[in-house]
Amino acid sequence: GIQVEQSPPDLILQEGANSTLRCNFSDSVNNLQWFHQNPWGQLINLFYIPSGTKQNGRLSATTVATERYSLLYISSSQTTDSGVYFCAVERTTDSWGKLQFGAGTQVVVTP
Amino acid sequence: KAGVTQTPRYLIKTRGQQVTLSCSPISGHRSVSWYQQTPGQGLQFLFEYFSETQRNKGNFPGRFSGRQFSNSRSEMNVSTLELGDSALYLCASSLRGSDTQYFGPGTRLTVL
């Protein structure tokens, strides 16, 4: 199956700092999503970004499909940004709603 | 538009019992996927349904099964529960399957 690697595994930030999370994947994909999991377990969809660049407020993401990686940028971090960030991909040959998740990046934003 | 809903939110069962979890997708979504999340294995795909047909299945034993109804609501069943089945079970809905998936709040299952 496809391998999805996220880095770093853990990140501690001071409020107001910027950060970059990385997701590498081992095969071509037709779906790539970034999620934020809150302390209650809810997975919040941040971006659907199989290629290109998108921005939503303080968050932005870039996927370079030809080089098989995606980046999630968090700017001016806030304590509410704390949680686990997951990258998930659907391999082109798998299709049909099968997302393969990375292990996640645990982010802690301190006041 | 209402989000994905899952019931029940919490369940406690004993080994050997069976359990049924329910997922109601976003209105208009026809694809429902199920995932299991554990501290050791992370998030793993169970299966996906579209128009009452299972189109994709993960690497789980036959004790894990599911179905989808004509209104796109889905249920998953786990028979002969084992301690290792304790997990957060998440369902996600999307329009077609290979597009943006939206997750429900999950059902936390504890097997004693």
Side-chain angles (χ1 to χ4, degrees), chain B residues 24-69:
Chain B
S24 293
I26 292 170
S27 178
H29 285 192
R30 296 170 64 189
S31 170
V32 174
S33 297
W34 288 90
Y35 297 84
Q36 181 197 65
Q37 185 175 26
T38 60
Q41 299 298 316
L43 278 148
Q44 293 185 286
F45 172 81
L46 281 157
F47 28 64
E48 187 262 1
Y49 287 87
F50 182 88
S51 292
E52 302 178 67
T53 300
Q54 186 184 90
R55 296 192 299 187
N56 214 338
K57 190 177 188 305
N59 295 325
F60 279 82
R63 300 185 297 107
F64 291 82
S65 63
R67 60 178 176 169
Q68 187 181 34
F69 302 95

Side-chain angles (χ1 to χ4, degrees), chain B:
Chain B
K1 196 182 268 192
V4 180
T5 58
Q6 292 187 244
T7 55
R9 295 292 313 278
Y10 302 91
L11 265 179
I12 299 176
K13 293 285 187 179
T14 56
R15 279 181 299 174
Q17 287 187 308
Q18 76 165 20
V19 66
T20 299
L21 312 181
S22 180
C23 172
S24 293
I26 292 170
S27 178
H29 285 192
R30 296 170 64 189
S31 170
V32 174
S33 297
W34 288 90
Y35 297 84
Q36 181 197 65
Q37 185 175 26
T38 60
Q41 299 298 316
L43 278 148
Q44 293 185 286
F45 172 81
L46 281 157
F47 28 64
E48 187 262 1
Y49 287 87
F50 182 88
S51 292
E52 302 178 67
T53 300
Q54 186 184 90
R55 296 192 299 187
N56 214 338
K57 190 177 188 305
N59 295 325
F60 279 82
R63 300 185 297 107
F64 291 82
S65 63
R67 60 178 176 169
Q68 187 181 34
F69 302 95
S70 58
N71 62 358
S72 294
R73 188 177 71 85
S74 178
E75 288 182 348
M76 68 163 282
N77 183 275
V78 187
S79 62
T80 319
L81 284 166
E82 300 177 359
L83 295 179
D85 297 333
S86 294
L88 179 65
Y89 290 88
L90 294 158
C91 84
S93 78
S94 66
L95 285 169
R96 299 176 305 274
S98 295
D99 52 347
T100 307
Q101 291 195 23
Y102 298 91
F103 281 77
T107 294
R108 193 167 294 277
L109 171 66
T110 301
V111 182
L112 302 175

Side-chain angles (χ1 to χ4, degrees), chain A:
Chain A
I2 190 169
Q3 304 301 312
V4 183
E5 296 179 354
Q6 291 187 242
S7 59
D10 300 280
L11 192 58
I12 300 176
L13 301 167
Q14 201 156 22
E15 207 167 21
N18 302 328
S19 63
T20 301
L21 282 58
R22 187 176 178 104
C23 172
N24 293 331
F25 45 96
S26 61
D27 205 345
S28 59
V29 299
N30 57 13
N31 183 354
L32 187 147
Q33 290 185 244
W34 283 97
F35 296 93
H36 175 216
Q37 188 167 42
N38 65 23
W40 297 273
Q42 173 87 53
L43 277 171
I44 308 297
N45 178 56
L46 298 176
F47 294 103
Y48 169 83
I49 189 166
S51 64
T53 297
K54 289 186 178 180
Q55 180 157 6
N56 184 4
R58 297 181 296 101
L59 300 180
S60 63
T62 295
T63 297
V64 184
T66 53
E67 297 187 24
R68 297 182 182 167
Y69 73 90
S70 182
L71 302 173
L72 177 69
Y73 306 96
I74 305 174
S75 65
S76 304
S77 57
Q78 301 175 359
T79 56
T80 52
D81 295 331
S82 296
V84 183
Y85 289 79
F86 288 101
C87 166
V89 304
E90 181 182 290
R91 196 170 62 174
T92 303
T93 53
D94 278 341
S95 288
W96 312 138
K98 180 180 179 178
L99 285 176
Q100 180 73 42
F101 282 78
T105 293
Q106 174 84 55
V107 173
V108 175
V109 182
T110 60

